[in-house]
Amino acid sequence: MDQQKILGYFIEEAQEHLETLERGILDLGKVVQDSEQVNEMFRAAHSIKGGAAMLGYTSIQKTAHRLEDAFKVLKEHQLPVDQKLESLFLNGYDVLQDLVEKLQSPAGLQPEEADSIVDGAAYQFEELQNYLNYLLNQGSAAATSTQTMAAKSTSTGTFNESDVPEEIKVLLHKMLQLFKQEPSATSREKLQEYCTRLGRLAPKQENWQHLLSLSKQAIANPLHSYRTLAPVVLKDLKQGYDCFVLAKPGNIRVSDGLKQLASSQVAQVLIPADPAAAASVLMKVFNDSQLRQLIKNLSAAR
């Protein structure tokens, strides 16, 4: 069989396994209660490892192996799952996803780049393994501590500020998954709920609270499609996340695009500045008759 076809099959299969891993990690607290689901995630990492080894992609093989080892711990032990553990698994997943995405890019996965990614992520997997070992050693004490912290977080609506960036990252991943779905009243409510949870992470940061308030307003408008909302809302929230990482939450800002979406009472279509790209967007949104009327209205307004 042609080598390129084999690579294509591997990438297609790897993408399916990555989806399994992402779904499981984003709902890890429930997944660990079901041994079959944990086994499914273990097998997904194992399959990617095996395929990468067969094709000689050592970087993907090593990364998948590290995730496989971590899931093995969850297979063999009942551990309490908190936001930190979920975030650490998510960090490892991001590395594996990054490698697979670069593999399917036009330039492919270059050895030097792959080695750099793996070396740069080594500390993340070490931190994951160390935290798993910590939970193992703590046993029931860790479970009690986790429950106490969870109860405290729920009652006060606050978290340790040093954990805020990791908490934001987890919730942004969950929002991204919802934005990939077809819009519905249920998913919009869930997205707004995530905004509320994001707000509880830093209740005293006014800029952050303002950003989340406008995000909720924009999401609540059923006229805004997810294609329009996602790039604006997620970009602004990612910018907020970056400010927390840099310990500069005061630099958080709301983009003009989000302000427009939050205040608008009609459907919005974000048109690129490039004429060719703008024409492409308009042709996808409007039919010929609507385009003619739009042009007529614009001409009359001048």
Side-chain angles (χ1 to χ4, degrees):
M1 184 181 294
D2 181 78
Q3 179 71 14
Q4 199 60 32
K5 287 185 178 180
I6 296 176
L7 177 60
Y9 291 144
F10 167 71
I11 291 174
E12 183 179 348
E13 182 179 329
Q15 290 289 5
E16 294 178 1
H17 293 314
L18 284 170
E19 290 178 6
T20 297
L21 291 174
E22 185 176 29
R23 283 197 307 270
I25 293 172
L26 292 175
D27 202 17
L28 196 59
K30 293 182 179 179
V31 168
V32 294
Q33 305 301 320
D34 186 333
S35 60
E36 182 50 41
Q37 288 190 57
V38 176
N39 284 331
E40 184 180 14
M41 296 175 73
F42 175 84
R43 289 193 297 268
H46 179 79
S47 296
I48 294 176
K49 181 190 74 172
M54 180 184 68
L55 295 176
Y57 291 105
T58 307
S59 58
I60 297 178
Q61 176 191 355
K62 287 182 178 179
T63 303
H65 193 179
R66 287 168 174 168
L67 276 176
E68 179 188 26
D69 286 343
F71 286 123
K72 184 178 181 181
V73 176
L74 296 184
K75 276 185 59 177
E76 298 176 349
H77 305 275
Q78 280 284 354
L79 295 180
V81 173
D82 54 16
Q83 288 282 0
K84 181 174 181 178
L85 184 61
E86 190 174 298
S87 295
L88 291 172
F89 266 107
L90 199 55
N91 288 340
Y93 164 84
D94 285 342
V95 178
L96 184 58
Q97 182 189 45
D98 187 26
L99 290 168
V100 174
E101 285 184 350
K102 290 186 182 303
L103 179 62
Q104 63 182 325
S105 68
L109 181 60
Q110 301 302 314
E112 290 185 2
E113 182 181 30
D115 290 342
S116 176
I117 293 173
V118 173
D119 291 343
Y123 79 95
Q124 295 180 352
F125 286 102
E126 183 177 351
E127 186 178 4
L128 171 58
Q129 198 60 51
N130 287 340
Y131 195 60
L132 286 169
N133 291 336
Y134 165 76
L135 293 177
L136 283 171
N137 292 332
Q138 290 297 306
S140 59
T144 302
S145 175
T146 300
Q147 293 169 1
T148 302
M149 290 177 66
K152 181 179 179 181
S153 298
T154 302
S155 62
T156 64
T158 60
F159 292 81
N160 188 319
E161 192 155 328
S162 64
D163 293 332
V164 167
E166 289 301 325
E167 303 284 353
I168 293 174
K169 187 175 182 180
V170 171
L171 291 173
L172 289 185
H173 267 270
K174 293 183 178 181
M175 292 182 72
L176 175 60
Q177 292 308 304
L178 283 177
F179 273 129
K180 289 180 180 179
Q181 300 176 12
E182 289 297 319
S184 68
T186 300
S187 62
R188 286 185 190 272
E189 289 177 3
K190 192 66 177 177
L191 285 165
Q192 292 178 76
E193 178 187 329
Y194 285 144
C195 287
T196 300
R197 289 175 60 181
L198 285 167
R200 291 173 184 162
L201 299 178
K204 296 181 180 180
Q205 295 295 339
E206 294 183 4
N207 291 2
W208 181 239
Q209 295 300 317
H210 182 52
L211 169 58
L212 291 166
S213 175
L214 293 186
S215 296
K216 289 175 67 175
Q217 290 178 42
I219 292 168
N221 190 338
L223 295 176
H224 297 331
S225 70
Y226 283 2
R227 172 183 284 186
T228 297
L229 285 169
V232 178
V233 173
L234 291 178
K235 183 178 180 180
D236 273 30
L237 293 179
K238 175 60 166 58
Q239 178 264 341
Y241 163 79
D242 291 338
C243 289
F244 278 110
V245 170
L246 297 172
K248 295 182 178 180
N251 290 346
I252 293 173
R253 296 291 182 269
V254 178
S255 69
D256 290 339
L258 181 56
K259 290 177 183 177
Q260 183 178 352
L261 288 173
S263 61
S264 176
Q265 298 303 311
V266 298
Q268 296 291 304
V269 179
L270 302 182
I271 307 300
D274 176 68
S280 176
V281 170
L282 289 171
M283 290 177 69
K284 289 179 181 178
V285 176
F286 302 105
N287 59 36
D288 290 344
S289 176
Q290 291 171 325
L291 274 174
R292 284 195 291 271
Q293 186 61 46
L294 177 62
I295 294 171
K296 181 178 179 181
N297 291 343
L298 289 174
S299 299
R302 289 188 174 183

